[in-house]
Amino acid sequence: MAAPGRRELVAAAPAAKLTHPGKAILAGGIAGGIEICITFPTEYVKTQLQLDEKANPPRYKGIGDCVKQTVQGHGIKGLYRGLSSLLYGSIPKAAVRFGMFEFLSNHMRDAQGKLDSKRSLICGLGAGVAEAVVVVCPMETIKVKFIHDQCSAKPKYRGFFHGVREIVREQGLRGTYQGLTATVLKQGSNQAIRFFVMTSLRNWYKGDDPNKVMNPLITGIFGATAGAASVFGNTPLDVVKTRMQGLEAHKYKNTWDCAYKIMRYEGPRAFYKGTIPRLGRVCLDVAIVFIIYDEVVKFLNKIWKTD
């Protein structure tokens, strides 16, 4: 009896189960909210170091000094200044990201439901651009202004809603969309890299069985790896975005002028300010988000039938 041909083996392979975009939106929102509550202090330190320009005498000597000065001046709560703005945005951000990714990937998978690495990069790019325009840019602008405001002798923002009201009153809605170009570039490349790496690792791990269950620990390791890749790949864009959203954004004509002035007056190393705290936060961030997302999707598949 002749051995089955390659086409017959492919046809017999189990088809991968698709994730409904509605489940992805819900699971992503839950994952995003939990993650940011855990990792925010590292985001705070990263932002402070990026705003600490060489053009002025440096305020901080490093990560430890930034934490020390913040705690001495504002207590432990100081490390969570700006959390509210990021928390309000993290839930819809992750919801939009995963919802858009699943929507796009469901239309780009092959007959067996498998998504290859190249297509996952395109889907990740689309997800990143969507979250940047809908959620991330206004959220990040407000967050950076809150953190930067704490550096002044007399902080003027008393809380999230007061800060938003003041920003809109003084600068209009455009005031919450500073650095849109840099944000789109950052988020688009961020998610393109992360989903590319994550999908590549998942496909390698699952082999010929697309429905093979992944242990949360494995998911976390893969997520941390994807997060690290995105940090080294786009930290310069993150620095430019942060400068464009700070209280001194008026110093720059546009995103490209900001990048030019950083290079001219501070040198190429300035583009990697805050890399270490960002690396720690992002690796933990991406690992936690993918673990929670996968586990919530597994639970939703049991109680929410969409097939």
Side-chain angles (χ1 to χ4, degrees):
M1 182 176 178
R6 180 175 177 79
R7 290 185 178 180
E8 293 175 319
L9 287 173
V10 172
K17 295 180 180 178
L18 304 183
T19 299
H20 189 280
K23 294 179 182 177
I25 290 173
L26 180 57
I30 294 173
I34 295 174
E35 173 274 321
I36 198 57
C37 290
I38 298 173
T39 64
F40 185 79
T42 58
E43 172 68 14
Y44 176 90
V45 173
K46 179 214 72 171
T47 303
Q48 286 283 35
L49 291 177
Q50 289 179 345
L51 291 171
D52 191 27
E53 302 181 45
K54 284 186 178 180
N56 300 314
R59 182 178 181 182
Y60 305 114
K61 298 177 182 178
I63 299 172
D65 186 52
C66 178
V67 173
K68 179 181 177 181
Q69 288 193 43
T70 301
V71 173
Q72 287 180 341
H74 306 279
I76 295 296
K77 290 177 63 177
L79 293 172
Y80 285 87
R81 182 66 184 269
L83 172 63
S84 58
S85 62
L86 209 57
L87 182 61
Y88 295 145
S90 289
I91 294 175
K93 177 180 73 171
V96 170
R97 176 195 309 162
F98 283 100
M100 180 59 73
F101 179 81
E102 295 297 351
F103 172 78
L104 294 174
S105 66
N106 286 350
H107 288 81
M108 298 184 71
R109 296 177 184 273
D110 60 22
Q112 281 69 47
K114 185 176 181 179
L115 182 70
D116 63 35
S117 300
K118 292 181 180 179
R119 292 185 177 183
S120 72
L121 187 146
I122 295 173
C123 294
L125 178 62
V129 171
E131 71 175 18
V133 175
V134 177
V135 181
V136 178
C137 190
M139 176 194 73
E140 287 283 305
T141 300
I142 293 169
K143 179 210 71 176
V144 172
K145 288 183 185 296
F146 274 13
I147 293 177
H148 209 175
D149 179 57
Q150 184 170 308
C151 298
S152 60
K154 296 181 179 180
K156 61 181 180 179
Y157 300 142
R158 297 193 296 270
F160 176 77
F161 295 106
H162 176 260
V164 172
R165 186 171 66 250
E166 288 299 302
I167 292 170
V168 173
R169 184 179 65 80
E170 296 173 3
Q171 305 172 32
L173 288 177
R174 291 183 61 184
T176 64
Y177 269 90
Q178 287 178 311
L180 177 60
T181 301
T183 304
V184 168
L185 290 173
K186 179 214 167 185
Q187 292 304 122
S189 60
N190 238 355
Q191 302 313 325
I193 294 171
R194 290 177 188 177
F195 280 108
F196 172 81
V197 173
M198 194 67 184
T199 300
S200 299
L201 293 173
R202 276 177 168 165
N203 288 343
W204 166 77
Y205 179 79
K206 293 185 176 183
D208 296 328
D209 182 6
N211 294 313
K212 181 178 180 180
V213 177
M214 287 181 60
N215 183 290
L217 178 60
I218 298 297
T219 300
I221 293 173
F222 288 175
T225 303
S230 69
V231 168
F232 290 114
N234 79 347
T235 287
L237 291 172
D238 188 47
V239 172
V240 173
K241 175 196 69 67
T242 299
R243 295 286 180 86
M244 287 297 295
Q245 293 171 332
L247 296 178
E248 298 181 352
H250 61 276
K251 293 166 54 178
Y252 311 113
K253 297 177 182 177
N254 51 47
T255 299
W256 313 113
D257 181 58
C258 178
Y260 170 76
K261 287 182 177 177
I262 291 174
M263 174 63 79
R264 180 177 179 181
Y265 298 113
E266 302 175 55
R269 292 183 61 182
F271 285 110
Y272 281 89
K273 272 191 169 185
T275 296
I276 295 178
R278 186 184 180 217
L279 183 64
R281 185 193 71 80
V282 170
C283 288
L284 185 61
D285 164 353
V286 181
I288 291 173
V289 166
F290 273 111
I291 289 174
I292 297 176
Y293 175 78
D294 281 3
E295 294 305 304
V296 173
V297 167
K298 290 176 186 176
F299 173 74
L300 291 176
N301 285 337
K302 296 178 181 178
I303 63 173
W304 182 1
K305 301 300 180 182
T306 55
D307 298 333

